Amino acid sequence: MQISDRPCSSIPNVSDVPPRVASVKRTTGETDVNVSLNLDGVGNCKANTGIPFLDHMLHQISSHGLIDLEVHAVGDIEIDDHHTNEDVGITLGQALRQALGNRKGIVRFGHFVAPLDEALVQVALDFSGRPYLSYGLDVPTERVGTYDTQLVREFFVAVANNSLMTLHIRQLAGINSHHIIEAGFKAFARSLRMASEIDPRRVGEIPSSKGVL
């Protein structure tokens, strides 16, 4: 009996996974947001939301998550940044959900601890189909530049709810507001990358004992 070292053709291959891309447009009386992404990208990013610090954080998600990301938003920032910040999070979450599809073959869980100088932030997430956010950042100042630091939580609430993600964010150390927030976004990006990657041992299968997410 001859034993072949060739992989069985009936076993799906990672290369057989269709492109995991999405494009979502969301228009309200307050904002007009367009998000396009490729989960299997190289970290290319174009972000223009009218909120410079948010653009900087979106670049962190793209670069460290290896997601090709384009975000364009026009909103009522003459009032404040709240509506635009939240609606970018909503639209990004919807795009993640669209790109993941039925979630077959993904690792599903992701976790990372990111240091940034004195700051240290831990993120764990699960593409569980059950949206939930546990937020533990203690940002000491009300603003970073012109950005209201309360909006960090609102952004992650919007992403978690609309991507159907369970998300835990914990601050382990930190005294500088910019460092704490950026460490949080970097840890989120790496966790997102881990959770959304295709598990070569589970291609084509739902990563749940229930058989559905």
Side-chain angles (χ1 to χ4, degrees), residues 132-180:
Y132 180 81
L133 172 67
S134 176
Y135 180 81
L137 295 188
D138 183 16
V139 184
T141 63
E142 293 183 357
R143 293 190 178 275
V144 173
T146 61
Y147 186 77
D148 181 351
T149 55
Q150 288 185 329
L151 297 182
V152 177
R153 184 183 185 279
E154 299 308 312
F155 176 84
F156 283 118
V157 167
V159 172
N161 284 344
N162 287 275
S163 64
L164 303 184
M165 170 198 302
T166 297
L167 176 61
H168 290 258
I169 303 174
R170 289 285 177 272
Q171 178 180 331
L172 305 179
I175 56 174
N176 179 276
S177 297
H178 190 135
H179 293 169
I180 293 166

Side-chain angles (χ1 to χ4, degrees), residues 20-198:
R20 300 188 300 159
V21 298
S23 184
V24 177
K25 177 179 177 63
R26 185 175 190 272
T27 302
T28 72
E30 299 165 340
T31 65
D32 186 3
V33 182
N34 291 271
V35 173
S36 297
L37 61 80
N38 177 3
L39 287 176
D40 303 302
V42 295
N44 293 327
C45 184
K46 296 179 181 178
N48 184 9
T49 66
I51 307 172
F53 187 77
L54 179 59
D55 291 347
H56 180 44
M57 294 302 103
L58 291 170
H59 275 272
Q60 304 311 308
I61 292 175
S62 173
S63 176
H64 297 286
L66 288 182
I67 297 170
D68 290 342
L69 180 64
E70 289 193 27
V71 181
H72 299 282
V74 177
D76 55 0
I77 57 175
E78 70 278 3
I79 297 174
D80 71 7
D81 295 341
H82 187 104
H83 297 145
T84 303
N85 178 89
E86 180 178 39
D87 287 1
V88 167
I90 290 170
T91 312
L92 177 60
Q94 291 174 346
L96 287 170
R97 183 177 178 182
Q98 184 182 109
L100 287 166
N102 58 18
R103 311 190 182 203
K104 284 185 176 180
I106 65 170
V107 172
R108 175 180 165 178
F109 299 96
H111 61 90
F112 198 80
V113 180
L116 181 55
D117 296 348
E118 90 297 342
L120 188 66
V121 177
Q122 177 188 54
V123 169
L125 65 84
D126 174 13
F127 280 117
S128 61
R130 299 183 301 277
Y132 180 81
L133 172 67
S134 176
Y135 180 81
L137 295 188
D138 183 16
V139 184
T141 63
E142 293 183 357
R143 293 190 178 275
V144 173
T146 61
Y147 186 77
D148 181 351
T149 55
Q150 288 185 329
L151 297 182
V152 177
R153 184 183 185 279
E154 299 308 312
F155 176 84
F156 283 118
V157 167
V159 172
N161 284 344
N162 287 275
S163 64
L164 303 184
M165 170 198 302
T166 297
L167 176 61
H168 290 258
I169 303 174
R170 289 285 177 272
Q171 178 180 331
L172 305 179
I175 56 174
N176 179 276
S177 297
H178 190 135
H179 293 169
I180 293 166
I181 295 169
E182 186 167 335
F185 271 85
K186 287 178 175 176
F188 172 74
R190 289 299 299 260
S191 300
L192 181 63
R193 174 181 167 186
M194 181 187 296
S196 62
E197 284 184 340
I198 298 298

